[in-house]
Amino acid sequence: MPIARKKIILAGLLILAAVLAGVGAAWVQDIQHGKALAGEVTDEQSQEPVAGASVQVVRGAQERRETRSDENGHYRLTVGDGPWTVTAQAPGYEPTSGPFQPEDTSLKEYLLHIVLRPYILTGVIRDAATRKPILDATLTAGDLQAQTEDDGRFTLARLSPGAVVRIEAAGYYPHEVVWNGESAIDFTLNAHTITVAAHDAATDSPLSAAIFVSGVKYQTDRQGNVVVPEPEPNSRITARLEDYTTAEAIYTGQAQIELSLKPSSFKMAVKNAQTGKPVAGAALYIAGALTATSSDEGKIGLSDIKPGTPLKVKAAGYTTVETPAPASPAMDILLTPFAARGIYLPFGLLANESKVRGLIDLVDQSELNALVVDVKGDRGRIAFHSDNPLIKAVNAELVTMDLRELIRLAHEKKVYVIGRIVVFKDDPLAKARPDLAVKTKSGAVWKDNEQLSWANPYSREVWNYNLAIAKEAAALGIDEIQFDYIRFPSDGDVNAISFPPPHTAQTRAAALKGFLTEANKLLKAAGVFMSADIFGMTVWTRDDMGIGQRLEEIAPLVDYVQPMLYPSTFASDNLGYKNPSQHPYDVIFRSVKAAAERITTPIRPWLQAYSSRDVTYGAAELVEQKRAADAAGSAGWTFWNAGGQYLSGVFGG
């Protein structure tokens, strides 16, 4: 049966091309009478068939034929003699129309492949107040959905004019708009807000005070009010003003927070002992209780303090000062800068006291001043005996050396002790409580490449378990708690994991932020510093890499950020190097600088004290790394070696 073999271009937006191959398909039938037009309707972008598309053929003003494509995108209709006007349209696609003039009018059948171009809406979603792009905002229109990228950009395809587009993002009021066919629209969202009011406790008059919410500073107006974005539940809101005591409140859903500031009768100025500059954010403890934090000018106001009252002042990057309150109504606190330069003491070495003492001596007799020791190790074992029923129920204790004695020995030699807690990689907890484990799609407990299970980072019970461990470790006299594996799984068949929806970059980041917020409150009250280990590439990316870690969201919640900048873990072409392992100085220096451009939290990188498959790291490479960290302005550094073995001579003497 003869078939038309001419390429056809219709007047309109799209191209409809005649099929040049023979038909051979069962859906083209022999035509006994008249002529036939048949073919397939496909999507220009995906090349997938378009079902339910309307195909209409009109000849003159008299003859009109119409059909719809089937589930495979195929259509067929009988027509009279040409010329014809062919029109095709489908929901979510631009309509197209144009003339079709058969060259050979003796033919009975013509195959016409119709390509439809989908409607596409692009744009950027921004915060209405700050104009900053909003990451992970969701756009929906019926069954269609899209999410914004790191720069707030989105693409929503296959809309139909008149569709209602709804834009939503965590912490913002939703917005709806009727789409009328525009190709690009930028949207703004208004953040949920609350009002914070500050007033004088004695006179009830409004105060123009500095308000701190989630680490961000705001200023009240002349009426003592300021509107701020709604914080996370249980966030601390603080008001500070010179000559007044600090006032604080916890956000629990109120539309308005009232902060009453008392005039101060005792004034404290916290300064850098070397430069004389004010130290902001220093924490003051009276009788072991967190009482106030210093302002941007380093000032703290107090009332009703008795001379001789024990005062303790702590700030990240400084040594702690303990002193009695003087009889005078004012005093200066001078804090000496401190940068931890440490090595890692792994869980397994706790069984060998002589090696533990050897590492403490190495720190004592060299430029080192800090030791990172496993409190809860990579396999979920806990290095101390716990009295907490929540911890004891998991049966994760594996005590070989008394942790309190280790801390005593270290402090005896002025060694700063950092307790490492592996958080969500937790085989014992997952085995004891499978309901708290990361699961596969089949409901089985998922395992990583080491055949170890993980606890679910979304679970508050998992949070509470790790917080209980941190609380007991803090009570042992440890100087700092460091959270490692504060992330979602990345090693193993992560595609087999099933988290209840929604499981997005936004929800992952929110889970880590929620845990660290609770940990921050706990450890700040306990007077213990807090740090978090993050992937090295986190300082170079703005998405969460599928693990929930975002630098700007983690940094304000900790005292130190510890990016794991091991050069051998950077992939080929990262940072522009074919083999980053061969560039230890550059990887460390550039990464610390990149992080410092994005956050103000002190950065203390993990450095590599081991060789990998493609590179041998000796003393020279270790020295290059610490030299790079110092040159980049880091707040110290710590070296990682899984066996706790370090080259002599690297750290001076």
Side-chain angles (χ1 to χ4, degrees):
M1 183 179 295
I3 300 172
R5 294 176 179 269
K6 180 182 177 183
K7 182 174 287 188
I8 310 296
I9 300 179
L10 295 183
L13 298 174
L14 302 177
I15 295 176
L16 299 108
V19 176
L20 303 180
V23 184
W27 49 273
V28 177
Q29 304 294 327
D30 289 338
I31 301 172
Q32 302 299 324
H33 303 287
K35 300 180 183 297
L37 185 68
E40 183 180 13
V41 184
T42 59
D43 183 303
E44 182 187 49
Q45 281 194 329
S46 68
Q47 287 79 54
E48 295 293 323
V50 178
S54 169
V55 180
Q56 186 181 89
V57 175
V58 177
R59 185 169 70 92
Q62 304 296 323
E63 186 177 341
R64 182 185 300 269
R65 295 285 186 273
E66 185 175 0
T67 190
R68 291 191 178 274
S69 58
D70 64 17
E71 61 183 8
N72 298 311
H74 300 146
Y75 74 93
R76 175 183 172 278
L77 46 72
T78 57
V79 295
D81 293 329
W84 310 313
T85 297
V86 180
T87 301
Q89 56 187 350
Y93 292 86
E94 300 176 13
T96 186
S97 181
F100 177 51
Q101 174 64 60
E103 290 184 357
D104 187 349
T105 56
S106 67
L107 296 175
K108 292 284 190 179
E109 304 169 358
Y110 294 91
L111 282 183
L112 195 62
H113 182 185
I114 302 175
V115 180
L116 292 181
R117 177 175 297 155
Y119 280 116
I120 297 177
L121 172 62
T122 62
V124 180
I125 300 178
R126 302 180 187 276
D127 183 294
T130 67
R131 306 301 298 175
K132 292 182 178 180
I134 299 175
L135 176 66
D136 288 334
T138 301
L139 297 91
T140 54
D143 294 333
L144 303 175
Q145 189 175 91
Q147 279 192 309
T148 55
E149 303 293 334
D150 292 349
D151 55 3
R153 296 189 177 278
F154 67 88
T155 299
L156 190 60
R158 299 174 187 84
L159 286 163
S160 294
V164 176
V165 180
R166 183 176 176 86
I167 306 102
E168 298 176 287
Y172 290 85
Y173 294 104
H175 178 64
E176 289 187 352
V177 63
V178 177
W179 183 69
N180 294 315
E182 302 94 328
S183 61
I185 306 178
D186 289 349
F187 298 104
T188 58
L189 295 181
N190 293 305
H192 293 166
T193 59
I194 64 171
T195 299
V196 181
H199 63 270
D200 186 302
T203 66
D204 204 34
S205 57
L207 295 174
S208 180
I211 305 296
F212 294 85
V213 184
S214 302
V216 180
K217 180 182 178 182
Y218 303 90
Q219 188 74 33
T220 59
D221 59 21
R222 291 182 179 179
Q223 286 71 47
N225 298 321
V226 64
V227 176
V228 302
E230 181 183 21
E232 298 285 335
N234 298 317
S235 293
R236 188 184 303 274
I237 299 176
T238 305
R240 297 178 192 154
L241 182 61
E242 189 173 353
D243 296 331
Y244 284 85
T245 61
T246 299
E248 292 187 331
I250 301 298
Y251 175 69
T252 57
Q254 312 95 308
Q256 179 160 320
I257 299 286
E258 296 281 349
L259 294 172
S260 179
L261 287 77
K262 297 179 180 179
S264 57
S265 57
F266 179 84
K267 299 174 184 178
M268 177 184 293
V270 186
K271 301 177 182 179
N272 183 311
Q274 294 181 354
T275 66
K277 292 182 178 180
V279 176
L284 170 65
Y285 296 84
I286 298 178
L290 177 60
T291 304
T293 54
S294 62
S295 67
D296 288 350
E297 295 75 30
K299 295 182 178 180
I300 296 175
L302 298 173
S303 61
D304 303 324
I305 187 167
K306 295 179 179 179
T309 299
L311 307 179
K312 179 188 288 187
V313 181
K314 298 171 68 78
Y318 295 89
T319 55
T320 298
V321 168
E322 297 187 52
T323 184
S328 61
M331 71 180 301
D332 288 349
I333 296 290
L334 301 180
L335 299 182
T336 303
F338 171 78
R341 299 182 298 276
I343 54 175
Y344 169 60
L345 192 166
F347 194 97
L349 283 190
L350 294 175
N352 190 324
E353 186 173 333
S354 65
K355 288 189 176 181
V356 171
R357 287 177 177 270
L359 289 180
I360 292 175
D361 287 341
L362 172 61
V363 175
D364 179 47
Q365 297 164 13
S366 67
E367 66 175 324
L368 298 169
N369 59 17
L371 195 65
V372 182
V373 59
D374 277 335
V375 170
K376 178 189 174 198
D378 293 59
R379 295 183 176 270
R381 296 298 181 185
I382 300 168
F384 62 88
H385 291 299
S386 172
D387 295 324
N388 190 309
L390 183 66
I391 298 173
K392 296 186 78 67
V394 176
N395 194 30
E397 295 176 13
L398 183 59
V399 181
T400 53
M401 179 179 181
D402 180 39
L403 201 56
R404 193 184 297 274
E405 174 64 9
L406 186 156
I407 295 169
R408 187 194 67 77
L409 290 171
H411 283 172
E412 209 171 61
K413 296 180 181 293
K414 309 295 186 194
V415 175
Y416 182 82
V417 182
I418 303 170
R420 175 175 174 260
I421 294 178
V422 173
V423 183
F424 296 122
K425 182 177 182 177
D426 197 327
D427 199 57
L429 180 59
K431 286 179 177 177
R433 291 286 304 277
D435 58 311
L436 301 181
V438 171
K439 302 286 185 64
T440 67
K441 293 179 176 67
S442 66
V445 174
W446 179 84
K447 295 182 182 296
D448 63 14
N449 283 337
E450 294 183 280
Q451 293 303 298
L452 296 176
S453 308
W454 284 58
N456 186 350
Y458 287 121
S459 169
R460 284 192 172 270
E461 286 192 73
V462 173
W463 297 4
N464 292 338
Y465 174 71
N466 285 280
L467 292 173
I469 294 170
K471 183 177 181 179
E472 287 205 82
L476 294 175
I478 214 153
D479 298 297
E480 177 182 323
I481 294 293
Q482 178 190 98
F483 293 111
D484 199 359
Y485 285 85
I486 177 70
R487 62 178 176 85
F488 283 73
S490 67
D491 308 313
D493 185 7
V494 293
N495 292 325
I497 296 175
S498 176
F499 288 109
H503 176 63
T504 65
Q506 184 69 23
T507 62
R508 290 190 293 268
L512 304 191
K513 188 175 178 181
F515 171 76
L516 290 175
T517 298
E518 296 297 320
N520 180 290
K521 288 188 293 186
L522 172 72
L523 296 176
K524 186 77 74 177
V528 174
F529 289 121
M530 170 178 160
S531 57
D533 295 342
I534 59 174
F535 273 11
M537 277 302 294
T538 303
V539 309
W540 291 101
T541 63
R542 292 189 182 272
D543 62 24
D544 80 322
M545 298 186 295
I547 61 172
Q549 289 183 351
R550 289 179 179 161
L551 184 61
E552 282 83 356
E553 296 194 26
I554 289 175
L557 298 171
V558 297
D559 296 300
Y560 299 95
V561 171
Q562 291 228 205
M564 298 179 286
L565 300 182
Y566 316 127
S568 66
T569 63
F570 284 78
S572 178
D573 293 331
N574 282 166
L575 280 64
Y577 302 121
K578 184 176 181 180
N579 187 349
S581 297
Q582 304 294 339
H583 304 271
Y585 184 95
D586 293 340
V587 169
I588 303 304
F589 181 85
R590 290 178 57 193
S591 296
V592 172
K593 284 290 191 183
E597 289 175 359
R598 296 169 56 183
I599 61 173
T600 57
T601 305
I603 301 157
R604 183 204 295 148
W606 273 107
L607 306 180
Q608 179 175 334
Y610 61 90
S611 299
S612 60
R613 287 179 298 178
D614 62 339
V615 65
T616 298
Y617 267 37
E621 287 76 16
L622 271 63
V623 170
E624 282 289 277
Q625 290 179 83
K626 67 174 185 173
R627 191 169 68 85
D630 290 339
S634 70
W637 36 260
T638 50
F639 273 97
W640 175 274
N641 181 282
Q645 299 179 357
Y646 302 94
L647 297 172
S648 60
V650 170
F651 306 114

